[in-house]
Amino acid sequence: MKHEYDIVIVGAGLAGLRAAVEIGGDTRVAVLSKVFATRSHSGAAQGGIGAALGNEEEDHPEWHMFDTVKGSDYLGDQDAIEILTEDAPRAIYELEHLGVPFNRTREGKIAQRAFGGHTRQFGAAPVKRACYAATRTGRVILDTLWEQSLQKGVAFYDEYQILSLIIRDGQCGGVVAYELATGKLHTFHSQAVLFATGGAGKIYKTTSNAFASTGDGMAIAFRAGAPLEDMEFVQFHPTGIYKLGILISEAARGEGGILLNNDGERFMERYAPVIKDLAPRDMISRCMLEEIRAGRGIRGQDYLHLDLTHLGQAVIESKLAEIASFARTYAGADPVKDPIPVQPTCHYMMGGIATDADGRVVVDRAGTPFPGLYAAGECACVSVHGANRLGCNALLDTLVFGRRAGIEMQRYIRATGSPHRSAEPEKKDADRLRGLMESKGRERSGRIRAEMQATMMDKVSVFRVQDGLRAAVAKIKELQERYPQIAIQDKGHCFNRDLLDAIELGHMLDLAEVIILGALYREESRGAHSREDFPARDDTRFLVHTLFGYDAIRGPQIFTKPVKITRFQPQERKY
Ligand SMILES: Cc1cc2nc3c(=O)[nH]c(=O)nc-3n(C[C@H](O)[C@H](O)[C@H](O)COP(=O)(O)OP(=O)(O)OC[C@H]3O[C@@H](n4cnc5c(N)ncnc54)[C@H](O)[C@@H]3O)c2cc1C
């Protein structure tokens, strides 16, 4: 079936919907999502969204900018970070006017709370900067933007999974999508496409991410010629529920929760004397693993305790309601009385599809745009998070850069004619699906996925070392070779998870390879990338972004580009 729009947005999380709200109305916009729109992972965001409103105590966008640059371990592009932090207050008031029900201060202003790495006066002490709606911040923003998109006449195609981009003469002109309920292929022709397809936490065994976070957009753009940037920087959030990875938001520590080791010691006081349990995530995750290695895990095992008991029932029930219920349901711990068992969990991709600050996908070091192709949100790398993202800055990124991508796409489609139509753009995908469905191989995608996830968890997570990375890349290559032998058991056309799992696995294997190659190349420790064989940051060799371009024959090809430094020169990062 064929469809025609001015702009196609893939992804109904906050980035996609913020762009849709910007351009809906006079532009024909379709939003495609492989899950029902409001089930996008953005809805799971708990803790908050950062902006220097100064509602609870003095704060300034410049302080927010500094914290983000320092948090990024000086790898974030400072021109883009300045846009992010300067635009943040506007983005929050806009949400307020659209109807987002934020928590309030006594005087009726938007309430704010502390979050990791956010400080006042350039690192002097934690500051309250996160705007929140209890622990359902993402949920309420997502619902509000969805409702606004419907009002603007945006067409939603829920449970449509895109398989490829339509590219003709180097210009992007739409997507090919698979309708989950029927197994039919659909072509969507458009003048511009925005990828807002979210993260890829499912590459790892333990993750806070949703089942849908399989990095499809990054992998599809990569194969279509868009480079991936800084993929080796994968964030592990310190407080996933032990063994499950389900997130206990940083808001728990923002409200005063503390981490304890088996001796009952608040160990973060030793590592980050100024901001302690509110140090950035990369640092706390490393410290937790150090404690576990030193035998101070709880009962000598590989987890620690997050203690909220001193906060009292009233604070826990009113400000941390969802996570209290997660702790009761999934950890069997009532946070009012018991500490919660936690360990680091794969949470966020700092890297992604290389873009500029207007959402244009860029293909080289000079910033040449890929005509008609845009990306925003977690699948994109602008780069505002550099080597480590601060809590509360991801939601902000989706809104600020989702909106900017919307504005830029509208400008682009007015200035550019429609791309040439390709004949039968869906043929390649139809052949691929048929190949998978008819394969007589003996492999199962579940088995390959489990091996990939275990390898990535074991060798490419918080700490990395050359031998381990080499073994990991060899393993991923082996899995890529086994991949074509996958046979699909389910021969049906209605919600064929077996088939979709195999397709998503192909994407994750591509991304896993790029993550490891980036990690091998970067012989230093910076932000979330910690090489035990190169424990220091090396600004002489590695104050650069790493990018990989797709090459079907030679494998991913690396190049680098400089980091934009405008106001804050790199310094040693201490908290
Ligand atoms: C548990 C959790 C808590 C978090 N808490 C916070 C927080 O408090 N503050 C903060 O700043 N950040 C938080 N984050 C991070 C933040 O929520 C995400 O980075 C952000 O919401 C990503 O938004 P997005 O719009 O880029 O993508 P998502 O919300 O992940 O949406 C991706 C969309 O792409 C669609 N999609 C993907 N592939 C395809 C395909 N092939 N075809 C069609 N559609 C496709 C999906 O259906 C979905 O609609 C949290 C993340 C998690 C996992």
Side-chain angles (χ1 to χ4, degrees), residues 10-17 32-37 39-50 115 137-138 142 160-163 196-199 208-210 212-217 220 247 249 281 347-348 376-379 389-396 398 504 507:
V10 186
L14 293 192
L17 294 191
L32 276 64
S33 171
K34 66 178 179 178
V35 298
F36 186 78
R39 298 196 63 156
S40 300
H41 188 62
S42 292
Q46 304 167 353
I49 171 163
F115 243 75
T137 313
L142 188 64
Y160 277 61
Q161 179 148 346
I162 79 136
L163 301 177
T197 48
S208 65
N209 283 193
S213 301
T214 53
D216 303 352
I220 292 170
L247 193 72
S249 167
R281 293 173 180 172
H347 187 58
Y348 186 85
E378 191 170 337
C379 72
R389 171 177 76 81
L390 292 190
C392 281
N393 272 353
L395 295 185
L396 182 61
T398 63
E504 292 172 349
H507 298 152

Side-chain angles (χ1 to χ4, degrees), residues 40 56 66 146 151 173 175 194 226 228 319 347 391 460 502 521 566:
S40 300
E56 305 254 3
F66 172 78
W146 181 62
Q151 277 184 25
V175 298
L194 172 69
L228 296 176
K319 293 187 168 170
H347 187 58
V460 202
Y521 171 78
T566 56

Side-chain angles (χ1 to χ4, degrees), residues 452-528:
M452 169 192 71
Q453 289 171 331
T455 302
M456 296 302 283
M457 200 68 202
D458 190 30
K459 301 197 159 59
V460 202
S461 55
V462 175
F463 289 114
R464 297 146 178 206
V465 65
Q466 190 183 57
D467 291 349
L469 292 172
R470 286 207 174 132
V473 88
K475 180 70 189 180
I476 297 299
K477 289 214 167 97
E478 175 211 309
L479 299 178
Q480 281 167 334
E481 276 160 27
R482 281 163 52 193
Y483 180 82
Q485 301 307 317
I486 289 176
I488 306 297
Q489 304 288 286
D490 181 349
K491 301 293 176 198
H493 298 290
C494 179
F495 290 95
N496 188 338
R497 253 335 311 165
D498 197 11
L499 175 66
L500 297 167
D501 284 347
I503 292 169
E504 292 172 349
L505 174 64
H507 298 152
M508 291 192 285
L509 288 170
D510 277 359
L511 300 182
E513 184 183 11
V514 173
I515 292 171
I516 306 168
L517 292 177
L520 263 172
Y521 171 78
R522 194 173 277 279
E523 294 180 336
E524 65 158 353
S525 291
R526 183 187 297 273

Side-chain angles (χ1 to χ4, degrees), residues 129-176:
R129 186 177 287 148
C131 311
Y132 60 98
T135 29
R136 52 185 94 92
T137 313
R139 172 85 276 135
V140 296
I141 304 176
L142 188 64
D143 288 350
T144 304
L145 292 182
W146 181 62
E147 190 183 280
Q148 292 290 323
S149 309
L150 291 174
Q151 277 184 25
K152 293 228 169 171
V154 169
F156 278 88
Y157 291 85
D158 290 323
E159 298 177 337
Y160 277 61
Q161 179 148 346
I162 79 136
L163 301 177
S164 65
L165 282 163
I166 302 174
I167 313 262
R168 180 93 194 265
D169 304 330
Q171 194 176 344
C172 179
V175 298
V176 177

Side-chain angles (χ1 to χ4, degrees), residues 286-459:
R286 277 194 297 276
C287 299
M288 290 171 73
L289 295 187
E290 298 281 2
E291 289 299 298
I292 289 167
R293 283 178 176 185
R296 292 190 289 271
I298 304 300
R299 294 191 195 94
Q301 294 186 41
D302 54 344
Y303 69 96
L304 292 146
H305 273 152
L306 173 63
D307 187 9
L308 312 183
T309 53
H310 53 288
L311 301 183
Q313 182 143 16
V315 169
I316 292 176
E317 300 303 346
S318 65
K319 293 187 168 170
L320 303 169
E322 271 72 20
I323 59 178
S325 121
F326 287 166
R328 289 181 190 120
T329 309
Y330 300 108
D334 178 357
V336 175
K337 295 185 291 203
D338 316 311
I340 309 168
V342 290
Q343 69 181 162
T345 182
C346 176
H347 187 58
Y348 186 85
M349 298 287 146
M350 267 72 75
I353 306 165
T355 63
D356 65 16
D358 292 308
R360 282 182 287 231
V361 170
V362 295
V363 295
D364 56 21
R365 187 199 297 257
T368 310
F370 191 135
L373 184 59
Y374 295 78
E378 191 170 337
C379 72
C381 181
V382 179
S383 127
V384 287
H385 309 301
N388 172 64
R389 171 177 76 81
L390 292 190
C392 281
N393 272 353
L395 295 185
L396 182 61
D397 170 0
T398 63
L399 297 176
V400 168
F401 294 103
R403 169 174 171 269
R404 291 175 69 96
I407 294 170
E408 176 54 32
M409 284 192 291
Q410 206 148 35
R411 195 203 58 74
Y412 171 84
I413 63 169
R414 287 191 181 137
T416 323
S418 295
H420 296 297
R421 284 291 170 81
S422 327
E424 289 193 280
E426 69 285 7
K427 182 166 181 324
K428 250 173 59 197
D429 291 305
D431 291 346
R432 178 159 69 113
L433 293 185
R434 199 173 314 109
L436 269 167
M437 292 291 274
E438 291 172 1
S439 162
K440 300 270 184 291
R442 296 176 155 266
E443 278 293 352
R444 298 282 175 272
S445 68
R447 195 155 57 206
I448 297 183
R449 188 178 60 233
E451 290 179 38
M452 169 192 71
Q453 289 171 331
T455 302
M456 296 302 283
M457 200 68 202
D458 190 30
K459 301 197 159 59

